[in-house]
Amino acid sequence: MSWLRIALRNVLHDGTRVISTLLIIAVGLTALLVGSGFMLSTYDALQEIAMRSEGHVSIIDDTPDPALGGAHQQLTLSHWQTLQADLWEDERVVRVLPRARFEGMISKGDESAVFFGSGVDPKEEFRVHGPFLRTDGILNPWLTPQETPDVMLGTQLARTLGATTGDLLILHTQNRHAENSEITVQLAGLYHTGTPDIDNHSLMTNLTTVATLLDTDNISQLSIYLQRREASTAVQTFLQNRLDGVTVQTWYQRAELYHKVKALYDRIFGVMGLIILIVVFLAVSNTIALAIHQRREEIATLSALGSSPSRIYANFILEACLIGLAATTIGMLLAYAISNAINLSELMMPAPPGKTEGYPIFIYISWPHYFITSVTLIITVVFASFIATRNATRVSIVKGLS
Amino acid sequence: MDRRLELEAITKRYGRDKNSITALQDISFTLFAGEFLAIQGPSGSGKSTLLNICGLIDNPSDGDYYLNGVSVAQLGVSERCTYRRRDIGFIFQRHQLIPAMTVYENIAYPLLLNGVTPKQIRHDVNQLLDTMGLEHRRKHLPKQLSGGERQRVGIARALIKRPQLVIADEPSASLDHQHAHAGLQLMRKLNQAYGASFLVASHDPFVIDHCDRKIELLDGRLETPA
Ligand SMILES: Nc1ncnc2c1ncn2[C@@H]1O[C@H](COP(=O)(O)OP(=O)(O)OP(=O)(O)O)[C@@H](O)[C@H]1O
Ligand SMILES: [Mg+2]
């Protein structure tokens, strides 16, 4: 015999009302958990993309060099080889990738298109993107310094040119001295990221090809990949304090797409979450108010027996807690089952803004997240019952008994 | 003898001005410790109104009354609640058992409210269930009981905490003669065992005959001077 037992009795006694309340809370929680699980995994994927494409920490030189022509303002980082060698000494660092960005026209026969190119260290470059950059039909060897230099194209750019692997193409640009410069290259393969800016216009080639074409050893960016992403800020601060004349940024500072999508999704899921909480709040306070109306004779009896208003209050809130606890347990199990089913079903996530296609759908299942969301919901339920019970104990006992 | 309850010119009016109904007018009487007092009167004479005031669940419009010598008018809401919890037992006409709770739990409830230990609760409730011939019903819900059984549970719930004052509003009204008789005898037995004062409203002559003393209400006034 305890208050808990009495609360349990009342909850079980009131079957249909309890089941409907239970369902509303459970379904609301399931929606919250699956929705936010989707949101979190999208953030995670976008962070992953940002880290993989930019490196955890980047070194750039953003002071314009008046000696360079307009087409070369992206190639400002000089003497990077010593920097790279130094960085390899740091045990926190796994990879240091140079990237030389340049742009111009690419043509095959009569077809030509604008390109945004990167000179890269190919062996490493194609490893760091992981599942976010897929390659297709690659020649062997590829992107190595050879007699006829070669390039990799974004799939869509190749399609625009009507080019297939093995074709010869011409790159036209201006070199460091603002003179026209061109080079014949072989198409060594295609790659695909799902980001239209990249797939439609980008190409990659060996750093040496860029150096030949543009007559400079400069690059745009040194991307540093670390053992642990958590070290990003520490390494950034460390390098910024040690290096003069360059800017050091973390992936987070450079992850434009991630920040845009996050801002949008935060708003969407924030509104969705708020709506679910409001629905739960209204449904629960409504059913509890109804139940209290039906039980006003019981409330009057308990008052006559000497239950204080706060005691009666506490009993109703205990009942709400039990319902909330049972409902959130059901909701969590439901969300867990649905999330696993979705994760196993190999569905694709809808493409986030700025992407043309989704990636394999994945719904985050994290117990701390489940716990926090459930507690938020239980607090909502208790608050709703608090509001609904507030006036119930003020009714006169005599009226309640008659 | 100790004065358990002392009423001085209690008046209760419902409504205001011209339309007001005077349910009780100038009621004064004394209930002594251990006394079994009947309140008699026809329907609408004000019996329930008087009992509600005596049981501290309603307030008079005028007059004051004393519970164990303490002026009730001076008591705050929570003090009245404490008196009801510790010292007053209610037996309701319609029993008012809590539908979700078993017989055992209904009877144990006042002890739980008073913070009695679980062990003591088990002991007291089992003993009273025995006394009242309800032990085979302990796990049943009120809706599974007969009217007479419900009344016995209602009496047990009022008496389990051994209150100083028991208020019973027509405890036998919904029962046949045999059950009413049994219920009354039970109350008397416990009155003698515990020495609680009883205030019993009834228009059943059988009940009234078995009380120590009776007062009579008519249209809210006391007919027999106390
Ligand atoms: N809330 C109320 N508002 C107005 N009048 C009321 C109210 N409660 C009771 N009365 C009136 O007060 C008078 C006394 O009522 P009360 O219920 O005390 O009578 P009673 O003796 O208990 O009657 P019964 O034997 O039928 O239970 C009646 O005239 C009744 O109409
Ligand atoms: Mg009455």
Side-chain angles (χ1 to χ4, degrees):
Chain A
M1 183 74 178
S2 65
W3 296 116
L4 188 66
R5 191 187 167 88
I6 288 175
L8 203 60
R9 280 248 185 255
N10 278 314
V11 167
L12 294 177
H13 191 250
D14 212 352
T16 41
R17 171 181 72 96
V18 168
I19 286 172
S20 68
T21 316
L22 217 69
L23 277 181
I24 290 166
I25 303 170
V27 169
L29 180 65
T30 305
L32 275 177
L33 289 177
V34 175
S36 56
F38 165 73
M39 174 184 89
L40 289 177
S41 77
T42 303
Y43 291 174
D44 211 54
L46 290 171
Q47 287 186 3
E48 194 70 24
I49 289 173
M51 279 182 273
R52 284 171 181 274
S53 62
E54 292 292 330
H56 294 108
V57 177
S58 295
I59 300 177
I60 56 172
D61 183 353
D62 53 9
T63 47
D65 183 348
L68 294 176
H72 299 290
Q73 283 304 339
Q74 299 181 82
L75 296 174
T76 45
L77 196 62
S78 52
H79 310 299
W80 54 272
Q81 291 88 347
T82 40
L83 208 53
Q84 187 181 33
D86 278 353
L87 286 165
W88 273 332
E89 300 294 309
D90 193 320
E91 59 192 14
R92 292 171 292 187
V93 173
V94 180
R95 291 190 176 93
V96 186
L97 302 192
R99 282 163 186 158
R101 304 205 198 287
F102 66 112
E103 54 201 56
M105 298 288 288
I106 183 168
S107 56
K108 184 203 168 207
D110 289 343
E111 297 294 333
S112 59
V114 171
F115 72 81
F116 298 102
S118 294
V120 297
D121 173 349
K123 288 281 165 311
E124 298 287 339
E125 186 69 37
F126 281 85
R127 234 172 257 156
V128 294
H129 293 281
F132 299 102
L133 186 144
R134 276 161 300 167
T135 52
D136 197 14
I138 301 181
L139 292 181
N140 205 6
W142 51 281
L143 298 200
T144 49
Q146 49 193 303
E147 207 172 324
T148 311
D150 54 6
V151 293
M152 300 275 286
L153 293 191
T155 39
Q156 204 51 47
L157 178 58
R159 201 165 299 158
T160 309
L161 294 170
T164 51
T165 305
D167 286 355
L168 291 180
L169 308 165
I170 302 173
L171 304 183
H172 314 262
T173 185
Q174 285 194 327
N175 71 11
R176 191 159 66 93
H177 317 292
E179 297 157 354
N180 287 335
S181 163
E182 60 176 57
I183 193 169
T184 301
V185 293
Q186 189 177 33
L187 179 52
L190 308 177
Y191 59 85
H192 186 79
T193 61
T195 305
D197 282 349
I198 296 175
D199 297 344
N200 296 350
H201 302 293
S202 82
L203 69 78
M204 286 198 238
T205 184
N206 196 290
L207 269 180
T208 53
T209 314
V210 180
T212 314
L213 187 62
L214 302 176
D215 193 22
T216 175
D217 277 345
N218 283 8
I219 58 168
S220 321
Q221 174 182 3
L222 258 187
S223 295
I224 303 164
Y225 292 82
L226 303 174
Q227 299 271 12
R228 300 183 321 112
R229 58 183 277 189
E230 292 77 17
S232 302
T233 310
V235 171
Q236 182 235 354
T237 317
F238 171 77
L239 292 177
Q240 188 66 78
N241 290 338
R242 262 191 40 186
L243 303 175
D244 286 333
V246 295
T247 303
V248 186
Q249 292 181 320
T250 60
W251 66 271
Y252 190 79
Q253 290 168 308
R254 297 180 67 82
E256 226 178 292
L257 181 65
Y258 165 71
H259 291 298
K260 270 193 207 141
V261 174
K262 185 170 189 301
L264 180 72
Y265 279 17
D266 276 351
R267 250 174 308 173
I268 293 173
F269 286 102
V271 169
M272 182 185 114
L274 199 67
I275 289 172
I276 290 176
L277 286 184
I278 290 171
V279 167
V280 167
F281 177 85
L282 291 178
V284 170
S285 57
N286 202 5
T287 43
I288 289 187
L290 201 72
I292 283 171
H293 183 71
Q294 285 163 354
R295 285 164 68 181
R296 64 194 184 284
E297 190 173 342
E298 177 183 332
I299 293 171
T301 305
L302 297 179
S303 303
L305 294 178
S307 293
S308 63
S310 57
R311 179 74 261 164
I312 292 170
Y313 234 177
N315 284 2
F316 272 100
I317 285 168
L318 192 58
E319 287 179 31
C321 282
L322 287 178
I323 294 173
L325 221 58
T328 49
T329 307
I330 295 171
M332 281 198 276
L333 291 176
L334 214 62
Y336 182 75
I338 290 175
S339 302
N340 271 317
I342 292 174
N343 291 347
L344 291 175
S345 69
E346 296 184 354
L347 288 169
M348 295 295 280
M349 286 262 197
K355 304 279 279 182
T356 47
E357 59 193 62
Y359 28 90
I361 201 161
F362 189 78
I363 309 260
Y364 240 66
I365 300 169
S366 106
W367 293 115
H369 174 65
Y370 271 39
F371 179 74
I372 290 168
T373 313
S374 301
V375 168
T376 309
L377 211 65
I378 290 177
I379 290 172
T380 308
V381 169
V382 169
F383 183 62
S385 70
F386 188 75
I387 298 288
T389 323
R390 208 180 29 175
N391 294 317
T393 53
R394 299 208 188 122
V395 181
S396 109
I397 302 174
V398 179
K399 271 206 189 102
L401 287 174
S402 60
Chain B
M1 253 203 291
D2 285 345
R3 289 154 192 265
R4 183 70 75 217
L5 196 61
E6 213 174 346
L7 277 68
E8 284 178 1
I10 291 289
T11 295
K12 177 75 180 180
R13 276 183 296 272
Y14 289 109
R16 290 190 177 175
D17 308 327
K18 282 180 187 166
N19 298 326
S20 76
I21 297 168
T22 305
L24 294 174
Q25 176 93 49
D26 240 354
I27 307 286
S28 304
F29 70 88
T30 302
L31 173 72
F32 295 96
E35 195 179 18
F36 206 104
L37 177 64
I39 301 176
Q40 190 186 14
S43 184
S45 57
K47 303 183 295 293
S48 295
T49 307
L50 182 60
L51 289 192
N52 289 342
I53 291 171
C54 292
L56 309 194
I57 61 174
D58 202 358
N59 299 313
S61 312
D62 269 317
D64 199 2
Y65 58 126
Y66 303 86
L67 185 62
N68 292 332
V70 177
S71 163
V72 175
Q74 309 295 321
L75 297 177
V77 175
S78 70
E79 287 165 311
R80 284 162 194 252
C81 187
T82 306
Y83 269 108
R84 288 200 303 273
R85 192 183 74 221
R86 281 199 328 233
D87 304 321
I88 301 175
F90 267 101
I91 300 169
F92 301 96
Q93 180 172 344
R94 285 183 292 137
H95 317 310
Q96 307 287 5
L97 304 181
I98 307 302
M101 295 201 266
T102 61
V103 165
Y104 178 94
E105 288 160 350
N106 264 287
I107 297 173
Y109 193 89
L111 296 184
L112 189 64
L113 266 184
N114 279 300
V116 177
T117 61
K119 198 175 151 198
Q120 188 71 40
I121 291 181
R122 229 173 298 132
H123 174 263
D124 288 4
V125 176
N126 285 333
Q127 196 177 45
L128 193 57
L129 281 169
D130 244 9
T131 314
M132 307 199 97
L134 284 168
E135 63 284 325
H136 61 297
R137 290 294 195 197
R138 49 180 297 147
K139 288 192 170 151
H140 290 195
L141 291 175
K143 66 173 180 218
Q144 298 168 306
L145 305 179
S146 74
E149 286 169 331
R150 268 179 229 166
Q151 188 206 29
R152 275 185 277 162
V153 176
I155 294 171
R157 180 178 65 181
L159 300 175
I160 185 76
K161 64 189 176 194
R162 305 198 180 187
Q164 299 176 346
L165 173 63
V166 177
I167 308 267
D169 193 355
E170 313 212 25
S172 58
S174 61
L175 300 176
D176 60 41
H177 219 78
Q178 193 192 340
H179 279 123
H181 192 163
L184 180 74
Q185 280 186 332
L186 199 58
M187 281 156 61
R188 281 243 67 151
K189 200 166 120 192
L190 294 164
N191 158 248
Q192 274 143 22
Y194 300 162
S197 308
F198 276 68
L199 205 53
V200 183
S202 185
H203 39 224
D204 179 349
F206 179 83
V207 172
I208 293 158
D209 284 349
H210 282 78
C211 291
D212 297 331
R213 185 161 65 97
K214 67 171 183 185
I215 55 175
E216 215 173 324
L217 276 178
L218 196 62
D219 288 339
R221 290 168 191 277
L222 219 48
E223 285 289 285
T224 29

